[in-house]
Amino acid sequence: MPVELTALGHRFGTEPWLFRAMDFTFHEGTVYALIGPSGSGKSTLLGILAGWIAPAEGVIAIPHDRTATWVFQNPHGVPGRSAVDHVALPRLARGAAPDDADEEARHLLERFGLGHVAGREFRALSGGEAQRLMLARAIASEPAVLLIDEPTAQLDPTTGDTVNAVIGELARDDTVVVVATHDTRTRDACSAVLDLGRFARRAEG
């Protein structure tokens, strides 16, 4: 089911509006680049989509029984657990048998170019490998909405390119994917763009 924003706006207290009069529909199966200048409210909009922040005005229509998963810009994992363990865990939590969860996890790791590190501990992964692992784990949880905050912000350009190369793998028929980014290469890896700068200008009017 799409996620629909109607006349959405937000500000904190009496501070200036970050964005306002936002009418937009996020469709399933599409990866959206959320762009805009610093301070335009990209992380705030992710928080609203996650259900963590109530908008100051307007309406967001998202099914209450659907889950949202957030991938942060700094990858967090269990240092001594393997890459395959990280991806298998969401499947185990959904009731999969251990062997089936491991098989599905290894398949996902291959999709994200991580098959060769399946047995490697998290602490031994490179920055790009760790970020791709977090994306694979997020997909394994089968969220309705997948939110990704600046996935290449902490990476050098070459390593960032390895993450951007798998952005297209995030699209699923039943998932809305929103990637907040300043990186033009990440933007170009997405299939659609939402520029918050347009709605920031409306807030000034």
Side-chain angles (χ1 to χ4, degrees):
M1 179 176 177
V3 175
E4 297 184 2
L5 312 180
T6 304
L8 197 77
H10 194 74
R11 64 177 176 180
F12 294 98
T14 58
E15 295 294 316
W17 290 91
L18 294 171
F19 48 82
R20 206 171 189 189
M22 183 185 300
D23 294 317
F24 194 83
T25 300
F26 294 99
H27 294 282
E28 296 165 312
T30 303
V31 182
Y32 294 88
L34 179 60
I35 66 171
S38 296
S40 60
K42 293 188 294 297
S43 293
T44 298
L45 182 56
L46 292 187
I48 292 172
L49 291 170
W52 298 353
I53 299 173
E57 65 180 16
V59 176
I60 176 170
I62 183 171
H64 294 296
D65 60 344
R66 304 296 298 277
T67 59
T69 295
W70 192 316
V71 177
F72 297 96
Q73 59 181 270
N74 295 309
H76 293 287
V78 181
R81 299 301 295 269
S82 68
V84 72
D85 285 345
H86 281 78
V87 181
L89 181 59
R91 308 305 299 156
L92 291 170
R94 297 174 71 90
D99 287 348
D100 291 340
D102 280 351
E103 182 178 354
E104 292 176 29
R106 291 180 185 279
H107 176 69
L108 270 175
L109 289 172
E110 289 288 349
R111 277 180 56 192
F112 283 81
L114 296 170
H116 64 293
V117 300
R120 192 177 299 173
E121 293 181 349
F122 182 83
R123 60 185 157 212
L125 300 178
S126 69
E129 290 168 345
Q131 190 63 278
R132 281 182 284 155
L133 178 63
M134 295 299 99
L135 296 174
R137 184 176 67 177
I139 289 296
S141 68
E142 298 184 351
V145 180
L146 176 54
L147 308 169
I148 305 168
D149 194 4
E150 300 285 0
T152 61
Q154 306 300 321
L155 305 176
D156 63 76
T158 299
T159 304
D161 284 342
T162 68
V163 173
N164 292 330
V166 301
I167 291 292
E169 291 288 337
L170 303 176
R172 294 171 54 100
D173 290 342
D174 57 351
T175 303
V176 170
V177 183
V178 185
V179 186
T181 185
H182 284 97
D183 189 335
T184 56
R185 290 165 300 184
T186 303
R187 178 200 64 198
D188 293 343
C190 297
S191 47
V193 176
L194 170 57
D195 184 356
L196 269 187
R198 294 165 41 203
F199 303 100
R201 288 191 291 273
R202 294 184 188 182
E204 295 170 359

